[in-house]
């Protein structure tokens, strides 16, 4: 599955250049062209799926099998103190390229990277329980 208008499909196909650091039958990893921090890597599925929810679990398992090794390589190569793994789904969640990919962002004390949210609360324990029940029910119906 590919999409002719998709920049990541073109990189996977070798039609446009990228600084590739790793590849497998299921995924390709290359440097983000506008990095949050030097060494910011994108792990991109070879097949074109717009969002994570569409990806078969077996494909995802295979594609992510070497993620710990890739993360360690990014940390070792950059000397980072930590790393964020991010995956955006939908424009509202910050997804710009609609082809499933994972960001590996090296982190250091005092860096310019911002990843965060203001923590909320549930009004009551019942409200929290109801939400958990809705998600369990959705899973049971899936
Ligand atoms: P997202 O917002 O999760 O869809 O992330 C898309 C990422 O792709 C951004 O961080 C961009 O900087 C990056 N990007 C876009 N075009 C290219 C490209 N040709 N090569 C490498 N990275 C790219
Ligand atoms: Zn694509």
């Amino acid at each position: 599955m590919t999409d002719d208008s998709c920049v990541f499909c073109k990189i996977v196909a070798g039609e446009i250049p990228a600084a590739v650091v790793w590849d497998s039958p299921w995924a390709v990893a290359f440097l983000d062209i506008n990095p949050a921090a030097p060494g910011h890597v994108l792990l991109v599925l070879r097949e074109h799926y717009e969002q994570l929810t569409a990806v078969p679990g077996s494909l995802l398992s295979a594609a992510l099998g070497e993620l710990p090794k890739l993360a360690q390589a990014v940390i070792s190569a950059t000397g980072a103190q930590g790393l964020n793994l991010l995956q955006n789904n939908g424009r509202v969640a910050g997804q710009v390229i609609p082809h499933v990919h994972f960001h590996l962002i090296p982190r250091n004390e005092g860096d310019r990277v911002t990843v965060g949210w203001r923590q909320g609360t549930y009004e009551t324990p019942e409200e929290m329980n109801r939400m958990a029940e809705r998600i369990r029910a959705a899973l049971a119906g899936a």
Side-chain angles (χ1 to χ4, degrees):
M1 233 188 317
T2 56
D3 180 323
D4 289 347
S5 63
C6 173
V7 63
F8 285 177
C9 282
K10 290 195 172 98
I11 289 175
V12 167
E15 289 166 16
I16 63 172
V20 174
V21 298
W22 176 80
D23 75 296
S24 78
W26 306 282
V28 181
F30 50 86
L31 293 183
D32 192 303
I33 204 166
N34 293 127
H40 179 169
V41 163
L42 301 175
L43 177 62
V44 177
L45 297 187
R46 282 189 179 274
E47 275 195 76
H48 182 93
Y49 293 98
E50 286 198 14
Q51 296 197 10
L52 187 70
T53 46
V55 181
S58 55
L59 169 59
L60 196 63
S61 301
L64 298 186
E66 300 220 45
L67 181 59
K69 191 171 155 187
L70 179 61
Q72 184 57 63
V74 171
I75 290 168
S76 299
T78 59
Q81 297 166 323
L83 179 133
N84 283 117
L85 176 67
L86 295 175
Q87 198 272 320
N88 303 326
N89 294 279
R91 188 172 288 274
V92 73
Q95 185 179 21
V96 174
I97 309 263
H99 176 136
V100 169
H101 57 280
F102 297 81
H103 296 258
L104 287 83
I105 304 177
R107 298 301 307 273
N108 284 294
E109 200 74 50
D111 65 21
R112 302 180 317 121
V113 181
T114 51
V115 179
W117 53 87
R118 288 195 301 276
Q119 290 184 307
T121 52
Y122 290 98
E123 292 291 319
T124 60
E126 291 72 30
E127 187 191 346
M128 188 170 171
N129 288 338
R130 275 197 301 275
M131 180 53 71
E133 181 49 35
R134 280 165 61 180
I135 295 172
R136 285 193 293 267
L139 276 167

